[in-house]
Amino acid sequence: MKTEVIKIHDPIEQSAGIEKAAAIIGRGGLVVFPTETVYGLGGNARDPAAAGKIYAAKGRPSDNPLIVHIANPADAEEYAETNECYYKLADAFMPGPITIILPKKNTIPPEVTGGLDTVALRCPSHPTARALISAARLPIAAPSANISGRPSPTSAEHVIHDMDGRVDMIIDGGESEIGLESTIISLRGNEATLLRPGAVTYDALLCVCESVTLSGAALGEDCREGKPLSPGMKYRHYAPSSPLVLIDASSPLFVDFIRQRRKNEKCAVICSPEEASALGGEGVILTGGEGDLPNQARRLFTALREADKLCAEVIYARKPEPHGLGLALYNRLIRAASHTVIKL
Ligand code: TXA
Ligand code: MG
């Protein structure tokens, strides 16, 4: 398949591009589009055949459900059984980096939800994503636009690397602002469970919901055995081809540890600019500055992809403190590291 790549920086000025992309979705094709979190691989969420194409393009098992993207929070009425808590969360965080799981209506085919009787709904804030969903006049099913098992894409370069030839169109909207996937929260009645931490933090959720249960998966526990609340949690995720090891240590201890290791092994290190200048030398990949969690989040998946290219024996990164946005970072890193942590 030939993939058309178009750049859109202003969806109003470039409405012709948006209309073209929307027409592809309308006829059952696939379009990769930017969102504020990561790029999404979109198709018509009402069409079982489009869902099949999404699973094939990603190489994803079809029991792992897709998020349905909507233009406005109230559109949820058409696809799900909403409740008071949904609207409280929607008022606080939509459009934005949150996904809410609700009992589904039969307007969404089971192929989209991996056979589950619930549906994950997300109303993104990225202007191009919103323009595309509105122009398509359809809900858009979209997982992250990476090949299954690779880091989620946060730039058109990542998307083209993974999806060229597998989709009809890629919309290049520059770098993703947040860089980590949305916070996922599941609602059973008004009971809320956090399944995947993201830029909408646990504390922010607590300001809106009376109580929020933290799932083991959200805390980064190993969920490969047993029946997870979210099917996606059981698959190996964001796995670089060299093993990643997290180091639980202060910055100076971390720097010393890397200096020692470098004597015996070809290692890559994902670290802050401060640590990089202390270390110097090869195999150093920059993430955000010390304590600059938004930049660390924005850089994480690019850093994992860069680390991969170095063909190191092992990649080291420091374990983030699992609080606030740090919990989202920790959740991605601990799974990329297959739960390997060295405490110094
Ligand atoms: O930020 C995001 O959420 C991005 C952008 C494109 O919107 N999307 C994304 O989708 O990260 P994906 O498919 O890579 O991750 C969605 C996760 C998967 O782990 C899936 O198992 C889970 O959400 N999920 C989807 N529907 C679910 C449901 N009904 N019940 C439980 N988990 C669900
Ligand atoms: Mg994904």
Side-chain angles (χ1 to χ4, degrees):
M1 173 190 301
K2 171 121 185 65
T3 300
E4 183 181 357
V5 181
I6 63 169
K7 267 196 174 75
I8 293 192
H9 53 85
D10 181 339
I12 297 172
E13 222 170 73
Q14 295 167 279
S15 59
I18 295 287
E19 290 299 336
K20 195 170 180 188
I24 292 172
I25 300 279
R27 56 170 188 269
L30 301 184
V31 175
V32 175
F33 60 97
T35 85
E36 69 280 17
T37 56
V38 301
Y39 277 76
L41 164 53
N44 177 2
R46 289 181 181 269
D47 177 4
K53 287 186 195 170
I54 293 174
Y55 287 114
K58 257 187 90 78
R60 173 168 175 158
S62 59
D63 67 345
N64 190 358
L66 308 174
I67 293 177
V68 173
H69 295 69
I70 53 180
N72 299 292
D75 296 346
E77 294 302 334
E78 218 177 319
Y79 314 116
E81 307 291 346
T82 61
N83 58 26
E84 193 191 331
C85 192
Y86 169 78
Y87 280 104
K88 277 196 198 165
L89 288 166
D91 281 348
F93 304 117
M94 284 184 180
I98 190 166
T99 295
I100 302 177
I101 297 176
L102 291 167
K104 89 172 188 69
K105 292 186 175 166
N106 58 15
T107 42
I108 299 295
E111 286 81 357
V112 169
T113 60
L116 297 179
D117 56 6
T118 53
V119 60
L121 294 173
R122 163 152 146 73
C123 175
S125 63
H126 195 293
T128 298
R130 299 197 75 191
L132 175 63
I133 305 163
S134 299
R137 297 171 198 271
L138 287 167
I140 297 187
S144 51
N146 52 288
I147 296 282
S148 202
R150 286 189 51 80
S152 294
T154 55
S155 72
E157 189 195 325
H158 299 165
V159 172
I160 291 166
H161 180 276
D162 282 15
M163 288 296 155
D164 191 27
R166 293 170 177 258
V167 297
D168 299 284
M169 181 185 268
I170 293 171
I171 303 178
D172 176 351
E175 245 178 76
S176 309
E177 193 188 323
I178 294 172
L180 298 179
E181 310 86 342
S182 61
T183 300
I184 302 184
I185 186 153
S186 151
L187 293 183
R188 282 183 186 277
N190 290 320
E191 233 174 83
T193 306
L194 178 62
L195 299 183
R196 181 174 73 182
V200 174
T201 61
Y202 177 66
D203 286 343
L205 292 168
L206 274 184
C207 294
V208 177
C209 306
E210 267 164 39
S211 75
V212 180
T213 306
L214 263 163
S215 68
L219 289 169
E221 284 166 15
D222 197 339
C223 298
R224 283 168 293 181
E225 305 287 322
K227 192 172 185 295
L229 292 174
S230 184
M233 304 301 170
K234 73 178 181 228
Y235 297 107
R236 188 155 180 244
H237 253 248
Y238 320 115
S241 42
S242 316
L244 174 71
V245 176
L246 297 191
I247 307 300
D248 185 358
S250 66
S251 185
L253 278 179
F254 177 65
V255 168
D256 280 347
F257 172 85
I258 301 296
R259 283 198 181 117
Q260 290 305 320
R261 285 298 166 115
R262 271 179 168 176
K263 292 178 188 160
N264 306 315
E265 63 189 11
K266 183 177 184 266
C267 58
V269 54
I270 298 175
C271 63
S272 68
E274 295 86 345
E275 289 157 349
S277 52
L279 281 167
E282 282 175 21
V284 174
I285 297 150
L286 292 185
T287 170
E290 197 72 48
D292 182 356
L293 296 178
N295 241 328
Q296 290 177 19
R298 206 170 293 134
R299 287 273 315 155
L300 179 69
F301 291 142
T302 299
L304 288 176
R305 283 178 185 253
E306 283 174 8
D308 233 6
K309 288 187 201 147
L310 295 176
C311 302
E313 283 167 51
V314 52
I315 306 164
Y316 294 110
R318 245 179 93 204
K319 173 179 165 274
E321 286 302 323
H323 310 298
L325 185 56
L327 179 63
L329 273 164
Y330 172 73
N331 172 282
R332 306 315 188 270
L333 275 166
I334 193 75
R335 286 191 291 153
S338 295
H339 301 269
T340 316
V341 182
I342 297 176
K343 189 165 168 56
L344 299 184

